[in-house]
Amino acid sequence: MMKRTVFLFALLISLGLFGQKSDTKVFESENYSLTMPDTWKATNDEGIVNIFPTNQIGAITISEYHDLELPKAETKKFILALYNSSDDEKKIKTGSGKRGYTEYFYEYFDEKENLFWITKVFQKSKEIYIVSINCQKKYWNGNYMKVFNETFDSFKIKNRILL
């Protein structure tokens, strides 16, 4: 009985130590928010936000456009053009997102630069948000892939009141 109690106690302590999540912080803009590891950095270069680990093995990039005339029929072509990709438009998944946005999802591997790209585009009327991950192939596994995806998936568009 004593061995079982000691084993359970050790198991609970190890789960507490190893199961802890890293510390995070929220990146806020006027129109969206995103939760990122507190050790990562964020830059804003003329409205294009880059969020990245200090070793710069990749980044999450966010661009927003609020008066862009892009017909939905052309959005998939636009996404492919971002990467000069010859992929078929069928490779881009489309769905209905929250708050009336149409969501587009595209994964691309740039063989020349050896980078993985994952992109989400949120489109509603003339509003478009482009959120993408780029990460060097040799780091796109294990913890980096997990942390990039968690950060990427935490992107939330705020409710905007248009005057």
Side-chain angles (χ1 to χ4, degrees):
M1 182 68 175
M2 181 65 162
K3 287 182 183 180
R4 184 178 292 169
T5 305
V6 170
F7 173 75
L8 287 173
F9 182 72
L11 180 66
L12 289 174
I13 287 187
S14 66
L15 286 173
L17 290 174
F18 297 112
Q20 290 179 357
K21 220 174 180 183
S22 63
D23 292 333
T24 59
K25 62 184 174 185
V26 176
F27 177 87
E28 295 268 351
S29 90
E30 182 182 336
N31 300 314
Y32 61 85
S33 66
L34 172 124
T35 303
M36 63 188 219
D38 66 351
T39 57
W40 285 22
K41 299 198 180 303
T43 61
N44 187 336
D45 303 310
E46 298 180 27
I48 298 174
V49 173
N50 288 293
I51 297 171
F52 51 92
T54 54
N55 63 5
Q56 299 184 15
I57 53 95
I60 293 176
T61 303
I62 304 166
S63 317
E64 59 182 302
Y65 306 92
H66 299 287
D67 197 24
L68 185 63
E69 288 282 348
L70 181 63
K72 287 188 178 187
E74 299 296 314
T75 303
K76 288 184 177 184
K77 290 177 185 147
F78 171 76
I79 294 168
L80 293 172
L82 290 172
Y83 304 103
N84 293 320
S85 172
S86 60
D87 284 345
D88 191 294
E89 289 181 27
K90 292 177 185 173
K91 191 168 179 196
I92 299 172
K93 297 176 183 124
T94 308
S96 295
K98 295 178 182 171
R99 297 190 181 105
Y101 284 87
T102 300
E103 283 186 32
Y104 300 86
F105 180 81
Y106 178 58
E107 293 181 285
Y108 176 71
F109 179 66
D110 183 335
E111 292 181 23
K112 182 180 174 190
E113 298 294 328
N114 222 15
L115 289 173
F116 278 107
W117 288 90
I118 299 176
T119 301
K120 282 186 185 177
V121 173
F122 302 87
Q123 181 180 25
K124 177 177 163 182
S125 187
K126 293 182 181 181
E127 283 194 28
I128 294 182
Y129 293 86
I130 303 169
V131 185
S132 62
I133 299 173
N134 70 73
C135 186
Q136 295 173 25
K137 181 182 178 182
K138 66 182 178 180
Y139 296 106
W140 191 244
N141 58 39
N143 196 48
Y144 278 115
M145 183 172 67
K146 179 180 179 271
V147 174
F148 269 110
N149 278 317
E150 285 174 353
T151 303
F152 183 71
D153 290 339
S154 74
F155 177 83
K156 302 266 187 288
I157 299 170
K158 295 179 180 179
N159 282 332
R160 289 180 26 146
I161 299 172
L162 300 174
L163 300 175

